């Protein structure tokens, strides 16, 4: 789960990283009051879980409390890349001399963390990374060793950051570890005209799997959502209690058990098609769940064929086949459905589907054969 900037800066503060004084409000009149307390002149910043707020007009300087109210009124309710601004943060403006970029990210491919740092931080960091990759330093961080003071100094020096930035890099690693974050990013980390180092903007992604010991931010659902309609199919699936993830391909996939579904995605990809989703209907695989799952997948306009891959265990294949047959009564099948049933009571399950003889339903006896057929149907 991504945190809002105002939440990220709380974490920074807790771990000794300096941030400008600030307040969060959700009403223009409160903005005036908060600006008064902050000394009059403030930066008004949209709080949305997306970057590029500055370029979108979501970060503006206000000269006095009256201007802060007007600016807050402009920014509140603004749409930034599909995110509605429901809160603004007012921060004491900083006289920026240099803008740096620092972050730690999980590098899944390398099985390690990566420190990324650049002396050319700020709103153009994507362009810098794309056009002059040598201006962005990447240094692997062994998760067991972490970022010691020496390592922090090494990263700062390699990226051409001032030596004082090393303390921030050291503390930022503690944020990552102590808060169970998968990403911590400061852009820009600034040096002010007085030589003070401050985190001016922050992004933190916390690991949802650590929620049991990180109760602080609650769940996504407990947070004020700024993009209620992120993906309509995922929202519809969530409402039905389905374990569904939308993907970019054309083969809709339903399976029982996360491991089986993941390998089904791989086998479909191996057959030259792309999975349109991940949907694990779990061990129960009731007719209701099957119908709900088919409903969501068939309403995805990108789907051209659906693959149901079930290995019967505690839930036998005949029960799954009954589920499919009953699902076909409530869902109008508009795209070909390839079913592979194996395991407990497979023969009985196949017989039930054969007896139903739906023109758009075909069966395959192996996972690979089913994937090949679904891929063929979806790509020709
Ligand atoms: P982002 O566009 O979503 O990354 O939002 P940021 O918080 O990073 O703000 C965008 C840019 O606004 C920063 O890179 C700074 O250049 C500028 N900015 C933000 N706060 C201040 C400030 O207090 N003083 C000055 N001079 N510029 C600021
Ligand atoms: Mn930024």
């Amino acid at each position: 789960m991504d945190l809002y900037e105002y939440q990220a800066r709380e974490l920074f503060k807790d771990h000794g990283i300096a941030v400008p004084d600030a307040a969060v409000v959700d009403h223009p009149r409160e903005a005036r009051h908060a600006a008064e307390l902050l000394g009059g002149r403030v930066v008004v910043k949209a709080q949305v879980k997306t970057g590029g707020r500055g370029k979108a007009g979501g970060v503006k300087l206000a000269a006095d409390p009256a201007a802060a109210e007007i600016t807050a009124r402009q920014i509140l309710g603004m749409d930034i890349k599909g995110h509605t601004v429901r809160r603004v943060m007012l921060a004491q403006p900083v006289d920026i001399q240099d803008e740096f970029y620092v972050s730690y990210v999980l590098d899944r491919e390398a099985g390690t963390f990566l420190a990324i740092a650049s002396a050319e931080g700020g709103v153009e960091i994507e362009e810098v990374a794309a056009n002059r990759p040598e201006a962005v330093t990447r240094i692997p961080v062994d998760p067991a060793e972490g970022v010691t003071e020496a390592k922090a100094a090494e990263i700062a020096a390699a990226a051409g950051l001032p030596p004082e930035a090393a303390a921030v890099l050291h503390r930022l690693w503690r944020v990552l570890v102590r808060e169970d974050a998968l990403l911590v990013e400061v852009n820009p980390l600034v040096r002010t005209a007085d030589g003070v180092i401050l985190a001016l903007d922050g992004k933190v992604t916390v690991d949802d799997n650590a929620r049991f010991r990180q109760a602080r931010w609650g769940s996504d659902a407990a947070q004020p959502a700024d993009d209620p309609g992120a993906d309509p199919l995922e929202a519809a699936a969530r409402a039905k209690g389905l374990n569904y993830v939308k993907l970019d391909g054309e083969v809709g996939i339903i399976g029982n058990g996360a491991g089986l579904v993941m390998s089904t995605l791989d086998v479909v990809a191996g057959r030259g098609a792309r999975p349109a989703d991940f949907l694990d209907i779990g061990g129960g695989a009731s007719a209701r769940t099957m119908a709900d799952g088919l409903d969501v997948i068939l309403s995805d306009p990108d789907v051209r064929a659906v693959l149901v891959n079930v290995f019967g265990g505690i839930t036998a294949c005949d029960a799954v086949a009954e589920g499919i047959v009953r699902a076909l009564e409530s869902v109008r099948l508009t795209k070909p459905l390839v079913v592979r049933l194996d395991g407990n009571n497979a023969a009985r399950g196949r017989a039930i589907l054969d007896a139903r003889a739906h023109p758009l339903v075909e069966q395959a006896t192996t996972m690979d054969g089913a994937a090949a057929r679904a891929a063929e149907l979806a790509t020709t």
Side-chain angles (χ1 to χ4, degrees):
M1 174 179 73
D2 295 341
L3 299 184
Y4 287 102
E5 175 193 17
Y6 70 88
Q7 297 173 319
R9 42 170 278 129
E10 289 301 312
L11 296 184
F12 294 169
K13 263 206 303 201
D14 288 356
H15 293 276
I17 297 172
V19 295
D21 280 341
V24 180
V25 303
D26 54 18
H27 196 281
R29 260 195 309 277
E30 297 166 28
R32 175 190 284 255
H33 183 63
E36 276 162 11
L37 296 176
L38 287 164
R41 238 166 75 88
V42 288
V43 182
V44 184
K45 307 182 75 178
Q47 295 300 291
V48 281
K49 294 182 180 181
T50 182
R53 296 165 303 162
K55 285 186 177 176
V59 178
K60 289 213 169 96
L61 190 71
D64 55 50
E69 178 173 344
I70 293 167
T71 305
R73 184 164 287 123
Q74 287 169 352
I75 295 179
L76 284 165
M78 186 185 264
D79 178 282
I80 300 181
K81 299 182 192 164
H83 298 250
T84 308
V85 182
R86 306 201 186 282
R87 287 180 178 174
V88 290
M89 188 172 89
L90 300 122
Q92 273 181 348
V94 170
D95 191 0
I96 298 176
Q97 188 152 69
D98 301 296
E99 293 188 301
F100 313 119
Y101 175 95
V102 295
S103 69
Y104 295 116
V105 294
L106 180 61
D107 183 347
R108 291 183 194 275
E109 255 169 58
T112 183
F113 281 90
L114 205 54
I116 306 178
S118 174
E120 298 178 46
V123 296
E124 304 295 341
I125 190 67
E126 268 93 15
E127 285 71 17
V128 172
N131 301 330
R132 285 184 304 108
E134 70 281 1
V136 180
T137 299
R138 296 159 176 271
I139 296 181
V141 176
D142 183 324
E145 284 167 22
V147 177
T148 57
E149 282 181 30
K151 181 84 176 181
E154 178 201 326
I155 298 165
L161 306 187
E164 311 92 271
V168 174
L169 281 161
H170 187 232
R171 290 167 184 165
L172 195 61
W173 179 257
R174 287 171 67 96
V175 174
L176 181 106
V177 174
R178 296 284 173 84
E179 309 295 338
D180 285 314
L182 299 170
L183 164 85
V184 290
E185 180 190 78
V186 183
N187 185 37
L189 177 71
V190 303
R191 179 161 55 184
T192 68
D194 317 325
V196 177
I197 304 277
L198 285 175
L200 218 63
D201 182 17
K203 179 173 179 194
V204 172
T205 305
V206 292
D207 186 346
D208 292 328
N209 298 307
R211 192 164 289 161
F212 70 96
R213 61 182 185 193
Q214 299 284 1
R216 188 168 178 184
W217 308 117
S219 63
D220 243 337
Q223 287 202 12
D226 62 10
D227 59 340
D231 183 281
L233 287 167
E234 287 189 353
R238 201 173 313 129
K240 292 174 193 279
L242 294 172
N243 196 357
Y244 170 93
V245 181
K246 167 90 174 97
L247 301 170
D248 295 333
E250 56 284 325
V251 180
I253 289 170
I254 303 180
N256 65 330
L260 181 65
V261 178
M262 283 192 279
S263 34
T264 308
L265 305 188
D266 286 345
V267 175
V268 165
R271 286 294 178 168
R274 295 174 310 160
D277 68 274
F278 170 103
L279 173 54
D280 170 19
I281 54 170
S286 67
R288 166 93 254 146
T289 318
M290 186 60 79
D292 285 345
L294 278 176
D295 213 17
V296 170
I297 288 178
L298 292 170
S299 61
D300 177 350
D302 298 333
V303 166
R304 303 192 54 204
V306 184
L307 169 56
V308 176
N309 188 16
V310 167
F311 192 90
I314 293 167
T315 305
C317 288
D318 52 337
V320 175
E322 297 282 8
I324 295 172
V325 168
R326 267 185 284 146
L328 291 173
E329 286 162 14
S330 59
V331 178
R332 199 172 68 86
L333 196 59
T334 48
K335 296 157 187 177
L337 186 71
V338 180
V339 183
R340 175 259 184 166
L341 297 175
D342 207 344
N344 188 7
N345 275 351
R348 254 189 254 171
R350 289 179 196 150
I352 289 167
L353 286 184
D354 278 341
R356 175 63 181 78
H358 191 292
L360 281 172
V361 177
E362 36 180 291
Q363 298 198 65
T365 47
T366 67
M367 174 155 156
D368 196 38
R373 180 63 182 140
E376 185 188 0
L377 287 165
T379 54
T380 52

